[in-house]
């Protein structure tokens, strides 16, 4: 018998209970033992719910119960989950979490503590919802030097961008609808400003390099400045606009960034639409591999948490080697990172543009006569900023991959 | 020190040596020990090659060396690899293979033997080349009842179909070119008749259900009957033709099949082009997840073999639980399986077609005036065969998903 406690009975926490109850027989067979949910921690009451009789309000009841060997957390926030994780690990229990803030901030320390205590700190659900990506990087792509990771890591922004592309609507209209449908929070900042994607690419970069990439070091741009007019150009060019979390190793330097990026239809992430997520990983031996699926949602995310519970249950008494040390990885100055840029500029003619950017093809939407668009050659962020500063009428610029 | 022997120094075997040599430091760090290739088995000599001094021609040298703990096989064939695997496991060594014929035929027995001997039989490279898919199914999708697997599992046929779609060329022309480029064998039967995809979907079906799906029970159709005219209809309909290995659980019944299938652009496998592979797995909790990458090629496939070596090295003294028993899974009669069908028929009018198939939309290519195409409603293989038999002039039919 493997006794599990679930912290938080919100969307994901209740999903964890549902997954374990629904596929109980199958999960027990795969674990080789009986998995039982002994406690659910939540401050609320749930009269009539299946967990009614196993609800507790005091974490100490769980952490002091020697019968509990695995704790699955789906609470959100940082300080309390961090305390819970440390206490659980110190008490010889494995800790599985969907909490990306916790992993991005304290992952390396908790991984180290778990190793010292011969238990496990697992976090498959923290990136890509139900998509297996943390474990494949840690346990499958082991022969490879991971030189690049590109991901659509946030379902809310991908939904918004997909709808803007299809419907020609503006950002505010689609955001409002996403909020009404429950795809976006009332306070959408963490999603639309790219903060969520930033934490996720920080976690993936840390796994890729085996060192700690601090999310606070990653240049992060959201999608709030993307307009319906940008999509008119994108459609004309056959491009799609996605919010990418990117990590790239170039000549021994490491770069990471979150920003909107335009891609064409040959890119493997081109057809990742709506709330789906996709993560492309490039290894120096295996080439490109891509993982795709539901990046959020109750049952997909819960499935990923339960996959950690199953792995922790199979590994009781043994630490699974996750190589993500607390040694910090120094990211290179993003101003040296190279991209091509799509640029929209007001009241500028081809000669003025080409005197700064060199030969470009001018894109004219037709319906708007006081602006033009163009695509630059590949140039560093710094060189682009210098060139851009020579115009006082740049409307927007979006990187192109 | 972990001593490894590589059986076969062909494309994949030499790739294994190259991957280990190139990423040596990184692999050792991830294993937590030094991985050393002690022997390469091949009947040929390779004067001047890096393996010149570790070549052996007698397998007994390897299997009788107590220092060797992991054997990686990339030979092809069945009988000799099967003997090698049994001897290795009996001698307490783990066996990692890219050999799909071996896994499809003897996988459950070798998994069982490995368990009894507390070693491992691993086969990530047997399906999907470099794409992590075996381990994600076995170790990540553990909370899920896997109800469907759909895969583009053969790079050669996907290359041929992609080129036919893009260029309008006929099958023989593209096959010839694929052979000249080394993408297809001189004897292309195993690929173009679907036999290779059949073994791979058998392996995935076995993993999905935990029982043994015999590849010989799987109805298998290749792509040799697909013509350039079929692609004219496909293009008109916005569809793509792919060779799919399929496994599906429907109302407690299990179906498996290999056949060409038409899909539209909303299908996650639509944009898997050329020699790439893609595998879509549907779980009852996680929904659809998709894995994409290089389905063949020296270094991608070798990377997957080395990922097994790393896993076996990390697990020395411990069996990794792979749930694929030797209990046979009875597949249901494929005649009960339902699809829609695209049909081309010669010299038949709408009334004659609709009297048999019900209301259909007639598709007229224009340039060919003695035939029409149409798409049926969803019907069983049996019902379709009965309906089709009422016409003596059906040119072709392709299933639609």
């Amino acid at each position: 018998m493997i006794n599990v406690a679930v912290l938080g009975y919100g969307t994901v926490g209740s999903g964890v209970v549902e997954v374990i109850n629904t596929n109980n027989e199958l999960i027990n067979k795969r674990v080789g033992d009986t998995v039982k949910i002994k406690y659910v921690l939540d401050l609320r009451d749930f009269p009539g719910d299946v967990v009614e009789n196993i609800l507790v309000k005091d974490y100490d009841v769980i952490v002091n119960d020697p019968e509990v060997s695995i704790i699955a957390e789906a609470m959100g926030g940082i300080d309390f989950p961090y305390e819970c994780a440390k206490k659980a690990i110190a008490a010889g229990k494995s800790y599985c979490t969907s909490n990306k803030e916790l992993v991005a901030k304290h992952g390396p320390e908790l991984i180290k503590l778990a190793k010292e205590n011969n238990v496990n700190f697992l976090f498959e659900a923290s990136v890509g919802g139900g998509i297996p990506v943390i474990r494949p990087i840690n346990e499958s792509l082991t022969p490879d030097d991971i030189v690049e990771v590109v991901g659509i890591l946030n379902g809310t922004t991908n939904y918004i961008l997909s709808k803007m592309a299809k419907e020609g609507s503006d950002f505010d209209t689609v955001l409002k609808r996403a909020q009404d449908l429950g795809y976006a929070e009332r306070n959408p900042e963490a999603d639309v400003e790219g903060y969520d994607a930033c934490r996720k690419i920080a976690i993936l970069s840390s796994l890729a390099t085996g060192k700690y990439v601090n999310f606070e070091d990653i240049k992060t741009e959201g999608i709030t400045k993307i307009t319906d007019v940008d999509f008119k150009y994108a459609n004309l060019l056959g491009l799609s606009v996605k919010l990418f979390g990117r990590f790239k190793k170039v000549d021994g330097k490491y770069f990471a960034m979150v920003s909107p990026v335009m891609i064409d239809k040959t890119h493997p992430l081109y057809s990742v639409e709506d709330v789906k997520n996709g993560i492309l990983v490039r290894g120096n031996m295996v080439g490109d591999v891509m993982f795709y699926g539901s990046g959020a949602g109750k049952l997909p995310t819960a499935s990923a948490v339960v996959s950690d519970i199953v792995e922790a249950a199979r590994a009781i008494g043994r630490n699974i080697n996750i190589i993500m040390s607390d040694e910090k990885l120094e990211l290179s100055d993003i101003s040296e990172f190279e991209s091509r840029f799509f640029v929209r500029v007001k009241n500028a003619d081809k000669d003025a543009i080409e005197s700064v950017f060199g030969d470009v093809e001018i894109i004219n939407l037709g319906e708007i006569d006081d602006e033009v668009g163009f695509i630059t050659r590949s140039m560093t962020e710094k060189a682009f900023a210098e060139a851009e500063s020579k115009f006082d009428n740049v409307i927007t610029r979006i990187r192109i991959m």
Side-chain angles (χ1 to χ4, degrees), chain A:
Chain A
M1 174 86 78
I2 312 270
N3 285 289
V4 175
V6 178
L7 313 187
Y9 200 59
T11 304
V12 176
S14 62
V16 169
V17 173
E18 184 174 337
V19 169
I20 291 179
N21 286 344
T22 307
N23 287 347
N24 192 252
E25 200 179 318
L26 187 149
I27 289 169
N28 290 344
K29 188 177 168 196
R30 290 181 183 158
V31 168
D33 202 337
T34 305
V35 173
K36 184 192 152 192
I37 301 175
K38 188 167 182 183
Y39 301 110
V40 170
L41 180 79
D42 205 293
L43 294 179
R44 297 165 293 179
D45 291 312
F46 295 91
D49 192 281
V50 288
V51 300
E52 185 178 13
N53 298 319
I54 57 171
L55 273 172
V56 293
K57 293 180 168 39
D58 178 5
Y59 182 61
D60 286 345
V61 172
I62 292 168
V63 85
N64 291 330
D65 184 340
E67 284 188 351
V68 172
S69 47
I70 299 167
I71 294 176
E73 180 248 315
M75 294 190 292
I78 294 191
D79 294 343
F80 183 58
Y82 176 55
E83 288 308 313
C84 289
K86 281 199 295 187
K87 282 187 188 173
I89 290 166
K93 303 177 197 311
S94 287
Y95 197 85
C96 309
T97 183
S98 61
N99 187 329
K100 63 203 161 278
E101 288 90 356
L102 176 66
V103 181
K105 184 147 184 147
H106 298 294
E109 180 196 350
L110 295 169
I111 288 166
K112 191 178 177 188
L113 283 176
K115 201 166 291 185
E116 288 166 6
N117 285 272
N118 205 33
V119 294
N120 290 290
F121 176 74
L122 302 173
F123 46 93
E124 180 62 68
S126 67
V127 180
I131 307 169
V133 61
I134 300 289
R135 197 167 288 114
I137 291 178
N138 191 54
E139 299 182 17
S140 291
L141 299 178
T142 48
D144 272 77
D145 184 13
I146 295 174
V147 294
E148 191 167 358
V149 180
V150 181
I152 295 173
L153 300 167
N154 179 273
T156 303
T157 46
N158 204 48
Y159 173 85
I160 292 172
L161 294 172
S162 298
K163 292 299 169 201
M164 288 177 77
K166 271 180 209 147
E167 298 169 4
S169 318
D170 64 20
F171 176 78
D172 291 330
T173 306
V174 180
L175 171 62
K176 174 80 173 54
R177 184 144 40 95
Q179 288 173 319
D180 292 344
L181 287 167
Y183 289 162
E185 309 271 350
R186 282 295 132 196
N187 178 354
E189 195 185 16
D191 294 319
V192 299
E193 295 293 357
Y195 304 153
D196 175 83
C198 170
R199 279 153 183 82
K200 291 170 176 169
I201 193 67
I203 295 169
L204 295 176
S205 308
S206 300
L207 271 178
T209 59
K211 297 184 178 173
Y212 175 57
V213 175
N214 186 344
F215 67 91
E216 292 167 305
D217 296 343
I218 298 176
K219 178 182 168 75
T220 299
E221 275 179 26
I223 63 164
T224 54
K225 290 178 188 159
I226 305 289
T227 69
D228 49 341
V229 180
D230 296 330
F231 274 103
K232 288 184 182 176
Y233 283 98
N235 288 339
L236 192 69
L237 293 162
L239 301 174
S240 163
V241 185
K242 302 291 185 187
L243 181 68
F244 271 3
R246 288 198 274 173
F247 161 79
K248 194 170 183 180
K249 185 176 170 185
V250 186
D251 300 332
K253 293 181 177 176
Y254 297 93
F255 297 96
M257 172 157 51
V258 174
S259 77
V261 173
M262 288 171 138
I263 52 175
D264 71 22
K265 67 178 178 182
T266 65
H267 195 287
L269 298 176
Y270 180 82
S271 53
V272 177
E273 297 274 10
D274 299 328
V275 295
K276 298 289 185 185
N277 280 194
I279 300 120
L280 184 78
V281 182
R282 177 170 292 168
N284 71 335
M285 295 289 126
V286 77
D288 286 348
V289 296
M290 200 260 278
F291 306 93
Y292 164 95
S294 291
K298 176 178 176 166
L299 293 178
T301 308
S303 168
V305 175
V306 177
S307 80
D308 280 347
I309 295 175
V310 171
E311 177 150 41
R314 285 175 167 182
I316 281 183
R318 171 173 61 83
N319 175 258
I320 296 156
N321 193 15
I322 298 175
I323 304 201
M324 190 204 285
S325 79
D326 51 8
E327 181 188 344
K328 191 178 165 188
L329 182 85
E330 289 301 334
L331 292 175
S332 290
D333 187 341
I334 200 71
S335 70
E336 294 175 47
F337 189 70
E338 287 197 16
S339 303
R340 288 182 303 146
F341 292 81
F342 163 73
V343 187
R344 279 169 58 202
V345 63
K346 228 179 170 72
N347 301 319
D349 66 9
K350 194 168 195 283
D351 288 347
I353 292 166
E354 293 195 331
S355 71
V356 175
F357 287 98
D359 286 352
V360 295
E361 194 182 336
I362 297 293
I363 307 144
N364 221 308
L365 270 189
E367 58 192 286
I368 305 178
D369 57 11
D370 65 345
E371 68 164 83
V372 295
F374 62 94
I375 292 172
T376 73
R377 68 181 193 283
S378 185
M379 55 204 300
T380 63
E381 295 278 324
K382 189 178 171 196
F384 178 79
E386 279 168 12
E388 188 189 21
S389 71
K390 292 180 182 146
F391 294 83
D392 55 8
N393 46 8
V394 169
I395 304 167
T396 194
R397 86 285 179 271
I398 304 173
R399 294 167 189 85
I400 298 188
M401 263 183 96

